[in-house]
C-alpha cells in the first residue's frame, strides 16, 4: 500500500514539533557543558596564611571536581574592594563571590555579630562549628539575608589573638596602648580599656613598625607569622579574644544561574572546606606558635587577671547589646547562652 502523501505545510509542522521536542535535551546538554569563571574578592592579603592555604585550595578543588568547567580567580585584599566594601561588591554583583568577615558589616544584619563571634564566650573552634552548623546560626543568617540577594557559607572558625610590642602587667595603663582591630573585637578591646582603633590588614605591619600601633590582631599565630607582625610585636597574648568565623558571601542570582551540577559541587566543596580548614587551622596554630617561640623569640603571655576581669565584663555587655538588636539576635543569643551553660562557661 502506498504511503499517504504529506503536504509541505504538514512536513513543516512535523519538523517544528520534532525541533521543539529535541530542544530541552539540547539546551540541557549545552548547559551541562557550560564553562564558568568567577572572581572572588578576599579580605585576606595575598601574604595571609589563609589566602594560599585555603582560598587557592578551594578554587583548585572546585576546578578539579567540575573537570575544568568552573574556575574561581581569587583576588587579594584591595584588588577591587577592601574591608566593609567587600560585602557590597558581592551583593551588587561586582563580583559573584567574596571571602570576608561578618564583623566588617555589623549594620547589615542583626545576626552578623553572632555569626562573626561574640568575644569572650566560646573558647575552641569546634564549639563555634557546632553553633554555626548544628544549632542553626548559619541557616538563620541566610533566611534573614535572602531579601538582600546574598547567600552565606562559613569559611573557617578560628581563634583571634592579640600581639603586642611589649609585655603588660596588672598596672599597665591599657588606654595608652593603641591596638588595631575590627568588628566586635574592636568593641571588646575598647570596653576592656585598650585604645582600640580600626586599621586595614594590609597596613598593620607599617602601623606597628612606625609606632602608630602598639599591638594588633590578624587571626592568631598563623596570621601574625604570615603577616610578619611578630617582627615588630613579638608578644602573643593568651587566651584568645574570641573564636570567630570568616565567611563566603555569594551573589544569589549568580549562584542560581550556575548549571545545577556545578552548583551542587560548588556548595559541597564549600561545606567541606569549612570543616577541613577549621581543623587545619588548629594544627597550624600550634606549628606557627612553635616557630615563633623557637626561631623568632616570640613570647606567649597570659593576660593579667585584672585584664581578664575587664574582658569578662566587656563580654557580658557585648552579648547583651547583640541580643538587643532584634528578635532573631535574641533567639540566637539564647541558643549561645544555652551552649555556654552546657560547656560550663556560664
Amino acid at each position: 500500500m502506498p504511503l499517504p502523501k504529506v503536504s509541505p505545510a504538514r512536513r513543516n509542522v512535523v519538523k517544528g514539533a520534532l525541533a521543539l521536542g529535541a530542544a530541552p535535551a539540547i539546551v540541557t546538554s549545552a548547559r551541562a557543558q557550560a564553562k564558568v569563571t568567577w572572581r572572588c574578592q578576599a579580605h585576606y592579603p595575598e601574604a595571609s596564611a589563609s589566602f594560599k592555604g585555603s582560598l587557592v585550595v578551594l578554587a583548585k578543588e572546585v576546578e578539579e571536581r567540575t573537570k575544568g568547567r568552573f574556575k574561581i580567580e581569587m583576588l587579594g585584599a584591595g584588588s577591587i574592594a577592601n574591608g566593609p566594601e567587600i560585602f557590597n561588591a558581592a551583593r551588587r554583583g561586582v563580583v559573584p563571590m567574596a571571602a570576608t568577615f561578618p564583623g566588617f558589616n555589623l549594620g547589615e544584619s542583626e545576626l552578623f555579630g553572632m555569626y562573626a563571634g561574640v568575644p569572650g564566650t566560646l573558647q575552641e573552634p569546634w564549639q563555634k562549628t557546632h553553633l554555626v552548623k548544628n544549632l542553626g546560626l548559619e541557616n538563620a543568617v541566610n533566611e534573614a539575608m535572602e531579601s538582600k540577594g546574598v547567600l552565606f557559607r562559613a569559611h573557617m572558625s578560628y581563634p583571634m589573638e592579640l600581639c603586642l610590642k611589649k609585655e603588660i602587667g596588672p598596672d599597665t595603663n591599657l588606654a595608652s596602648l593603641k591596638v588595631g582591630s575590627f568588628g566586635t573585637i574592636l568593641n571588646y578591646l575598647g570596653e576592656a580599656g585598650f585604645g582600640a582603633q580600626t586599621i586595614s590588614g594590609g597596613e598593620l605591619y607599617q602601623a606597628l613598625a612606625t609606632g602608630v600601633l602598639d599591638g594588633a590582631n590578624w587571626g592568631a599565630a598563623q596570621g601574625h607569622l604570615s603577616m610578619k607582625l611578630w617582627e615588630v610585636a613579638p608578644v602573643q597574648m593568651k587566651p584568645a579574644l574570641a573564636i570567630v568565623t570568616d565567611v563566603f558571601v555569594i551573589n544569589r542570582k549568580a549562584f542560581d544561574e550556575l548549571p545545577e551540577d556545578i552548583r551542587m559541587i560548588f556548595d559541597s566543596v564549600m561545606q567541606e572546606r569549612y570543616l577541613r580548614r577549621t581543623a587545619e587551622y588548629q594544627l597550624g596554630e600550634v606549628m606557627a606558635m612553635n616557630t615563633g617561640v623557637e626561631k623568632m623569640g616570640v613570647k606567649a603571655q597570659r593576660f593579667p587577671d585584672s585584664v581578664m576581669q575587664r574582658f569578662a565584663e566587656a563580654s557580658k555587655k557585648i552579648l547583651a547589646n547583640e541580643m538587643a538588636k532584634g528578635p532573631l539576635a535574641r533567639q540566637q543569643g539564647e541558643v549561645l547562652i544555652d551552649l555556654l551553660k552546657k560547656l560550663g562557661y556560664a
Side-chain angles (χ1 to χ4, degrees):
M1 180 183 293
L3 294 174
K5 293 183 179 180
V6 179
S7 68
R10 172 63 178 164
R11 281 197 296 269
N12 289 338
V13 169
V14 171
K15 288 179 181 178
L18 290 172
L20 287 171
I26 294 170
V27 171
T28 301
S29 176
R31 184 170 172 77
Q33 297 305 315
K35 293 186 177 181
V36 182
T37 299
W38 276 13
R39 292 183 298 173
C40 175
Q41 175 63 68
H43 74 288
Y44 309 115
E46 291 190 26
S48 175
S50 289
F51 189 86
K52 290 183 179 179
S54 188
L55 297 188
V56 172
V57 172
L58 179 136
K60 183 178 179 181
E61 288 181 356
V62 167
E63 184 173 356
E64 288 177 350
R65 293 199 199 181
T66 60
K67 302 186 185 305
R69 291 169 51 221
F70 188 23
K71 297 182 180 181
I72 304 174
E73 179 187 357
M74 295 295 176
L75 306 176
S79 298
I80 294 175
N82 214 343
E85 284 305 311
I86 291 175
F87 167 79
N88 289 322
R91 182 180 63 178
R92 296 167 184 161
V94 176
V95 290
M97 176 182 181
T100 187
F101 178 61
F104 291 150
N105 301 94
L106 294 177
E108 294 289 345
S109 171
E110 65 184 80
L111 292 175
F112 275 10
M114 299 284 182
Y115 199 23
V118 179
T121 56
L122 301 176
Q123 299 178 17
E124 297 182 35
W126 73 263
Q127 298 165 356
K128 188 67 188 297
T129 298
H130 183 58
L131 181 69
V132 168
K133 294 295 186 181
N134 295 340
L135 298 183
L137 177 55
E138 186 165 88
N139 288 340
V141 169
N142 279 317
E143 288 176 13
M145 297 299 291
E146 185 174 1
S147 63
K148 294 194 177 184
V150 288
L151 173 72
F152 285 86
R153 291 290 183 266
H155 172 209
M156 64 177 180
S157 293
Y158 60 99
M160 193 78 82
E161 296 179 354
L162 183 69
C163 64
L164 295 171
K165 288 185 174 183
K166 298 178 181 179
E167 295 181 56
I168 60 175
D171 300 323
T172 298
N173 179 12
L174 299 183
S176 69
L177 296 177
K178 302 180 294 294
V179 294
S181 190
F182 42 86
T184 51
I185 307 296
L186 182 76
N187 299 337
Y188 186 57
L189 289 165
E191 289 286 346
F194 287 88
Q197 52 191 280
T198 299
I199 294 183
S200 68
E203 298 174 347
L204 289 177
Y205 182 93
Q206 184 69 13
L208 287 166
T210 59
V212 173
L213 293 178
D214 300 300
N217 74 272
W218 188 261
Q222 290 174 88
H224 298 164
L225 175 62
S226 64
M227 299 281 280
K228 304 186 185 300
L229 301 189
W230 279 341
E231 291 181 1
V232 285
V235 180
Q236 189 79 1
M237 303 303 298
K238 304 285 184 175
L241 301 171
I243 303 300
V244 301
T245 299
D246 285 356
V247 302
F248 293 114
V249 54
I250 303 153
N251 182 278
R252 170 67 77 169
K253 184 174 183 293
F255 183 76
D256 290 343
E257 288 177 349
L258 289 172
E260 183 177 1
D261 62 328
I262 288 181
R263 187 167 63 246
M264 292 176 64
I265 292 169
F266 176 43
D267 202 21
S268 175
V269 173
M270 283 192 293
Q271 299 283 11
E272 289 177 22
R273 182 100 294 267
Y274 172 59
L275 299 176
R276 290 180 180 181
R277 184 57 183 165
T278 296
E280 290 170 357
Y281 207 93
Q282 293 179 72
L283 173 61
E285 282 299 294
V286 174
M287 296 171 65
M289 197 66 213
N290 288 341
T291 297
V293 170
E294 295 170 7
K295 299 182 179 181
M296 302 175 65
V298 172
K299 181 173 182 178
Q301 183 196 3
R302 180 177 172 82
F303 286 106
D305 289 343
S306 58
V307 178
M308 290 301 297
Q309 183 58 43
R310 290 189 179 192
F311 278 144
E313 294 302 317
S315 180
K316 292 177 184 178
K317 185 173 181 179
I318 289 173
L319 178 54
N321 289 341
E322 289 298 326
M323 292 177 68
K325 289 181 176 179
L328 295 176
R330 175 162 293 282
Q331 181 183 45
Q332 291 302 315
E334 289 171 354
V335 171
L336 173 58
I337 290 171
D338 182 63
L339 177 58
L340 292 173
K341 289 177 179 178
K342 289 177 180 177
L343 292 167
Y345 298 163

